[in-house]
Amino acid sequence: MSWITARRRHRASGYAVVLLGLAAIAVMYASVTGQGSQAAASAPSVSGQSIAEGKFLFSQDCSSCHGLEAQGTSLAPSLIGAGAAAVDFQMSTGRMPAKEPGAEMDRRPDVFSQKQIYEIASYIGSLGGGPAIPDAAQVSSSGANVGLGQELFAANCAACHSIDGAGGALTYGKYAPALSQATPTQIYEAMQTGPEAMPVFDDGAVTPSEKRDIIAYVTGTRSEPNPGGFSLGRIGPVTEGIVAWIGGIGLLVLAAMWITAKRREEA
Amino acid sequence: MSSQDGQAVPPKALTGLGGFLDDRFRGARGVRTFFKKIFPDHWTFLLGEIALYSFIILLLTGTFLALFFKPSMTDVIYHGTYTRLDGVRMSEAYASTLNISFDVRGGLLMRQIHHWAADLFMAAIFAHMLRIFFTGAYRKPRDVNWLIGIVLLTLGMLEGLFGYSLPDDLLSGTGLRILEGVILGIPIVGTYLSFFLFGGQFPGNDIIPRLYVIHVLLIPGLILGLIAAHLFIMFHQKHTQMPGKGRTEKNVVGAPMYPYFMAKTGAFFFFVFGVLALLSTVAQINPIWLYGPYNPVSISAGSQPDFYMGFLEGTLRISPSWTWDLAGHTVAWNVLFPALVPLGLLLTGAALWPFIERWATGDYAEHNVNDRPRNAPTRTAIGVAAVAFYSIMLLEGANDLIADHLDIPLYTITWIARFAVFLGPALAYFLTKRICLGLQRKDRDLLEHGLETGIIRQMPDGEFVEIHRPVSEEKRAVLLSKKEPVALPAPGAADENDIPAPATRGLAGKLRATANRVITESVPLTGGNGHGNGHGNGHGGSHGDEAERAAVGAPHSPVADGDVAAPGTVARDNGQQSGDAGS
């Protein structure tokens, strides 16, 4: 500390302290906030796909695990009856084709074009029903009841995804992903098909209108400004405690050292 | 620094007013004593003041919030400024907190200052307590004040818990649900107590108004009274001071209250206020509007309490699900044990420690000069072990966030924590003690050989020696502040007639003798294997040659033998040391 003590009356020391403080805050901020990029809402228009084209793509890229007739193998489940929505969800979020088997597939950049995904989806859909890809009106937030969406989300979704959609850990390496990148269509499809560890919320459990309310709540929450300052990652009191110790006690300890510092004795 | 500067003549306007008041209230003598009060200068002595000033800011902002908060659980349908919750059913408490956040001018800032001040208050109490512990400032005569501090810490935790329960948002309701679970877990009376506290089934309609009264009246009153007692006792007993030149058990070296310390502590208040204002304007805390109103059927992932309750969250998460079925009644060890035992161990242990230490060391003397942590290795090691225990539980309290953000399976973390909670403190104890003893060895070397200068000199006979420079007077005084512990008779020690010492007889005697062995482990400042010419150290065991010890280290034998004097510096070193010891 003695070299600080020696230089603390230097003309530039005040600026240096302010700069250091700002830099520390910047690092703290950068470390706790996510990138939060938002995918543009997709506009599914299920039209003009060629089931044959889809079957060809499927046999090329999916059949090694799911079987040539999508009947499933020991590696992956049967997709007969899984529905077009399940295919669109898994492939548009980049979870399929799977990179490697694991507790849970991570969201990755998608490797197929939207057109190819629709073709494969229509092929799987043609094999035997299952939920279809929703149209734009089904996932639209306009006129939705956000308040009801909040209540539904708190009761049904927050236990895993956390109340502000930050995601959360589940058991045995599984997790509920953050909802920061999910498009309205993907949120709808996830509720309809129950991917990974998620339960199915079909139209009997959560009506189509309520699904729109939930979508409006999720997309609204992540774009909501933080009136109190930096969000600290919106993960609750854990980051708040870290900031209280580093930012609060840390700054005040520096102040206390400054106040009680003595002129350095000649050695 | 001396206190003579305190005699500065105050301005005329002040003397006039002072004279007026003194003629009527005869306060001059008391004020004079107060103004001449000496405060030692050390930054760690300001940690407690952070807590004090945070508390003042808590009282001020809390009063502001109380003007607008409605402690009521009456159901309302919200139609306020925050449209995202439009039409949602909620309690009046939650609605009024939304109102404070979005409609009251400056309300959100006040809420944030209040909450940050609460976090800072508790953090400062912990930091202050650790400083007091590691420097031994709790020793007689300040042991009573140490106990008051522990009560203040406990009250602060409760005050915080009740405070963040008041807004009735999803997070605070979750905390209350755990509180209810703990109360229900108390055998026999648990259900009755729970119904009494909540006025029926959880959550009922009574808990918020009840917590409100406790939060704004009862606990702040107790804290205020105890802080007053804490400060008056500190004032009366005088400050401890860090060891240094001219600092003894009988004096206090520092700056007087007026004008120096008054200016410093006044400035520090504004530092505290400034840091809180800074945090509150740039960092969002407890965004209750995101959490939504509490509903007993809902819960959010990533629900944590404020950091000072995180320890309890961790003990709860780590606990195996043990329950007993006793004659048709469930004893819920899985809730009862984590809620009461680990924190009880820490707080009771902290409260008893001054008395345990006194019993084990046999040191009943008053202490006004603080210990350097390395000079009390066992105490420091126990303190670090306790910090490790606390930290592991605190981290375990955030196990789901760690799992999610670091991609570690949740149960893996829990199992690591289950082992770490036992192994971590043991390892911390062992390492700390070894480090402390190593630092003691370093101190001894500094004292005996001085600082290495990096200058190599060749002697006429061809020998190379490194020149050592004696440490400064100030540093020497700090090094010499170490008090060698007095060892009680060893366990089972017998005199020449095979009669064991009375103090070591019986179970208590043996226990005390063993504790004494552990606590008095020390590397004596004098002795060891110090060679006068500055080489040959580095194997600082206690196997040093007695003759050399007497010649070099022991202050009562300043005579250095001839060959030691040759390099020059070390001999001077000896002379100074004996001179100091004599004064």
Side-chain angles (χ1 to χ4, degrees):
Chain A
M1 280 295 62
S2 58
W3 66 273
I4 291 185
T5 312
R7 285 164 183 80
R8 73 191 171 87
R9 292 192 193 284
H10 192 274
R11 202 175 302 149
S13 63
Y15 301 105
V17 167
V18 170
L19 265 179
L20 271 178
L22 287 174
I25 289 167
V27 169
M28 266 151 46
Y29 172 59
S31 62
V32 295
T33 52
Q35 54 286 352
S37 65
Q38 283 195 27
S42 63
S45 53
V46 192
S47 60
Q49 319 92 338
S50 152
I51 290 174
E53 191 71 17
K55 183 165 184 185
F56 174 70
L57 284 168
F58 184 88
S59 64
Q60 256 192 338
D61 294 290
C62 318
S63 61
S64 59
C65 296
H66 288 287
L68 274 171
E69 302 297 326
Q71 78 278 22
T73 68
S74 59
L75 291 172
S78 160
L79 298 182
I80 297 167
V87 175
D88 186 46
F89 176 84
Q90 296 286 350
M91 297 191 71
S92 68
T93 60
R95 289 182 165 85
M96 287 290 150
K99 200 168 145 203
E100 55 189 317
E104 194 168 322
M105 304 305 165
D106 292 335
R107 188 186 182 100
R108 289 185 293 132
D110 47 356
V111 289
F112 286 82
S113 72
Q114 191 64 62
K115 179 171 166 290
Q116 289 170 319
I117 292 172
Y118 287 155
E119 284 165 355
I120 298 173
S122 59
Y123 164 64
I124 296 298
S126 75
L127 292 179
I133 298 172
D135 59 34
Q138 283 176 291
V139 301
S140 162
S141 294
S142 69
N145 184 346
V146 182
L148 182 58
Q150 196 276 340
E151 290 181 297
L152 288 166
F153 191 87
N156 296 301
C157 320
C160 300
H161 288 286
S162 110
I163 188 71
D164 41 21
L170 301 174
T171 53
Y172 302 111
K174 297 200 186 88
Y175 64 95
L179 303 179
S180 52
Q181 296 175 53
T183 65
T185 304
Q186 287 164 352
I187 298 169
Y188 186 98
E189 289 166 344
M191 287 190 276
Q192 284 286 38
T193 63
E196 308 279 0
M198 182 167 161
V200 172
F201 296 91
D202 61 18
D203 289 350
V206 177
T207 65
S209 140
E210 289 171 344
K211 284 197 172 74
R212 288 178 53 233
D213 297 339
I214 290 176
I215 291 169
Y217 170 76
V218 171
T219 52
T221 299
R222 67 193 183 198
S223 61
E224 194 185 355
N226 295 303
F230 294 126
S231 71
L232 307 185
R234 288 192 182 172
I235 54 172
V238 173
T239 41
E240 291 164 9
I242 295 170
V243 170
W245 273 95
I246 297 175
I249 296 292
L251 282 178
L252 286 171
V253 161
L254 288 181
M257 285 176 168
W258 189 35
I259 279 182
T260 57
K262 288 196 204 79
R263 188 180 291 275
R264 191 168 70 141
E265 285 179 33
E266 292 304 316
Chain B
M1 212 175 291
S2 76
S3 62
Q4 269 123 34
D5 310 76
Q7 306 292 340
V9 182
K12 255 201 178 127
L14 275 184
T15 50
L17 178 67
F20 177 86
L21 290 175
D22 189 43
D23 288 347
R24 284 151 187 81
F25 299 108
R26 305 269 172 242
R29 269 183 67 192
V31 171
R32 174 173 287 267
T33 316
F34 179 67
F35 275 9
K36 287 167 80 177
K37 180 94 189 148
I38 298 293
F39 287 85
D41 255 345
H42 196 275
W43 65 270
T44 58
F45 289 16
L46 293 180
L47 291 172
E49 295 199 9
I50 301 177
L52 177 66
Y53 295 144
S54 300
F55 184 68
I56 291 172
I57 290 164
L58 280 169
L59 289 182
L60 294 174
T61 51
T63 307
F64 180 91
L65 295 175
L67 298 178
F68 301 98
F69 180 69
K70 295 195 185 101
S72 149
M73 295 179 90
T74 309
D75 267 352
V76 292
I77 306 291
Y78 182 73
H79 292 296
T81 316
Y82 188 67
T83 50
R84 285 173 54 73
L85 289 175
D86 193 56
V88 172
R89 179 186 294 271
M90 57 182 66
S91 68
E92 221 173 351
Y94 183 73
S96 66
T97 314
L98 283 178
N99 191 44
I100 290 172
S101 304
F102 293 106
D103 297 293
V104 174
R105 195 173 295 268
L108 179 59
L109 180 66
M110 286 293 175
R111 258 197 67 225
Q112 298 211 130
I113 294 181
H114 194 70
H115 205 127
W116 279 121
D119 273 12
L120 194 64
F121 177 63
M122 293 306 294
I125 289 178
F126 280 116
H128 175 58
M129 185 179 177
L130 289 177
R131 201 282 290 172
I132 298 291
F133 181 83
F134 284 118
T135 59
Y138 57 79
R139 288 173 297 176
K140 186 183 168 188
R142 294 176 184 81
D143 36 13
V144 173
N145 229 10
W146 169 254
L147 294 179
I148 292 178
I150 290 171
V151 176
L152 277 170
L153 170 71
T154 317
L155 285 174
M157 286 174 65
L158 276 179
E159 177 73 347
L161 167 69
F162 293 168
Y164 68 68
S165 296
L166 286 180
D168 203 21
D169 58 279
L170 187 55
L171 198 56
S172 73
T174 304
L176 280 182
R177 185 61 144 174
I178 297 176
L179 178 70
E180 188 224 6
V182 171
I183 294 173
L184 283 177
I186 301 171
I188 302 168
V189 294
T191 39
Y192 299 95
L193 277 180
S194 171
F195 267 60
F196 175 69
L197 178 65
F198 290 91
Q201 285 281 3
F202 178 87
N205 287 313
D206 295 338
I207 187 66
I208 297 286
R210 287 178 182 177
L211 290 187
Y212 181 71
V213 170
I214 299 173
H215 179 77
V216 305
L217 185 72
L218 183 62
I219 300 184
L222 287 173
I223 290 181
L224 200 60
L226 285 173
I227 285 181
H230 201 64
L231 290 181
F232 274 114
I233 292 174
M234 185 272 292
F235 194 88
H236 179 71
Q237 295 181 333
K238 300 188 173 57
H239 255 290
T240 57
Q241 56 189 342
M242 293 302 182
K245 203 171 128 193
R247 297 176 185 192
T248 70
E249 296 286 353
K250 304 269 177 210
N251 70 4
V252 185
V253 179
M257 182 75 183
Y258 179 86
Y260 298 103
F261 192 72
M262 206 174 251
K264 287 186 178 190
T265 191
F268 200 60
F269 172 78
F270 290 107
F271 269 113
V272 174
F273 190 32
V275 164
L276 283 174
L278 180 76
L279 281 176
S280 308
T281 43
V282 303
Q284 181 166 286
I285 189 164
N286 199 21
I288 51 112
W289 54 91
L290 286 178
Y291 301 144
Y294 182 60
N295 181 339
V297 304
S298 299
I299 187 160
S300 171
S303 292
Q304 261 85 20
D306 277 4
F307 81 88
Y308 44 87
M309 301 296 280
F311 172 83
L312 287 170
E313 180 80 19
T315 57
L316 189 63
R317 290 185 184 202
I318 204 179
S319 173
S321 187
W322 286 326
T323 53
W324 281 359
D325 194 31
L326 273 189
H329 295 274
T330 306
V331 184
W333 291 116
N334 50 357
V335 177
L336 204 56
F337 182 84
L340 302 179
V341 176
L343 188 65
L345 269 178
L346 274 187
L347 291 179
T348 315
L352 291 180
W353 173 253
F355 308 99
I356 296 174
E357 189 185 51
R358 189 181 311 177
W359 168 80
T361 54
D363 179 4
Y364 290 85
E366 286 201 1
H367 292 279
N368 296 318
V369 178
N370 287 328
D371 274 338
R372 303 174 78 208
R374 70 186 62 174
N375 290 340
T378 304
R379 175 204 300 151
T380 306
I382 287 176
V384 175
V387 170
F389 180 63
Y390 188 93
S391 308
I392 290 164
M393 289 294 93
L394 189 59
L395 285 173
E396 169 65 13
N399 64 354
D400 58 330
L401 288 182
I402 296 172
D404 196 29
H405 290 263
L406 301 183
D407 281 342
I408 306 169
L410 188 68
Y411 288 165
T412 308
I413 297 176
T414 302
W415 273 106
I416 290 173
R418 279 174 181 172
F419 283 98
V421 76
F422 296 105
L423 299 178
L427 190 68
Y429 176 89
F430 177 77
L431 284 180
T432 309
K433 191 153 182 185
R434 286 356 277 177
I435 290 171
C436 285
L437 291 172
L439 287 171
Q440 288 189 11
R441 268 186 206 107
K442 185 187 143 226
D443 285 354
R444 187 183 62 189
D445 285 348
L446 269 181
L447 214 50
E448 291 187 349
H449 301 301
L451 294 159
E452 296 177 1
T453 58
I455 301 168
I456 310 289
R457 178 183 289 173
Q458 188 176 19
M459 307 309 290
D461 57 1
E463 183 192 6
F464 285 97
V465 293
E466 184 178 9
I467 305 296
H468 284 66
R469 185 162 55 87
V471 293
S472 69
E473 282 291 300
E474 180 64 30
K475 178 92 181 165
R476 165 174 297 274
V478 172
L479 294 178
L480 284 174
S481 73
K482 185 187 176 201
K483 290 178 205 68
E484 294 304 338
V486 184
L488 298 175
D495 61 10
E496 65 271 17
N497 298 322
D498 281 346
I499 309 293
T504 66
R505 281 184 215 155
L507 187 64
K510 276 181 190 142
L511 198 64
R512 187 181 181 200
T514 310
N516 182 261
R517 279 309 97 169
V518 175
I519 212 165
T520 54
E521 196 176 343
S522 166
V523 177
L525 268 186
T526 56
N529 53 350
H531 291 277
N533 52 11
H535 59 72
N537 52 346
H539 48 100
S542 55
H543 60 280
D545 163 351
E546 285 298 321
E548 275 188 348
R549 262 193 224 179
V552 178
H556 55 263
S557 58
V559 189
D561 52 24
D563 98 285
V564 171
T569 54
V570 180
R572 212 168 51 219
D573 201 342
N574 281 334
Q576 281 172 354
Q577 187 175 327
S578 50
D580 268 19
S583 65

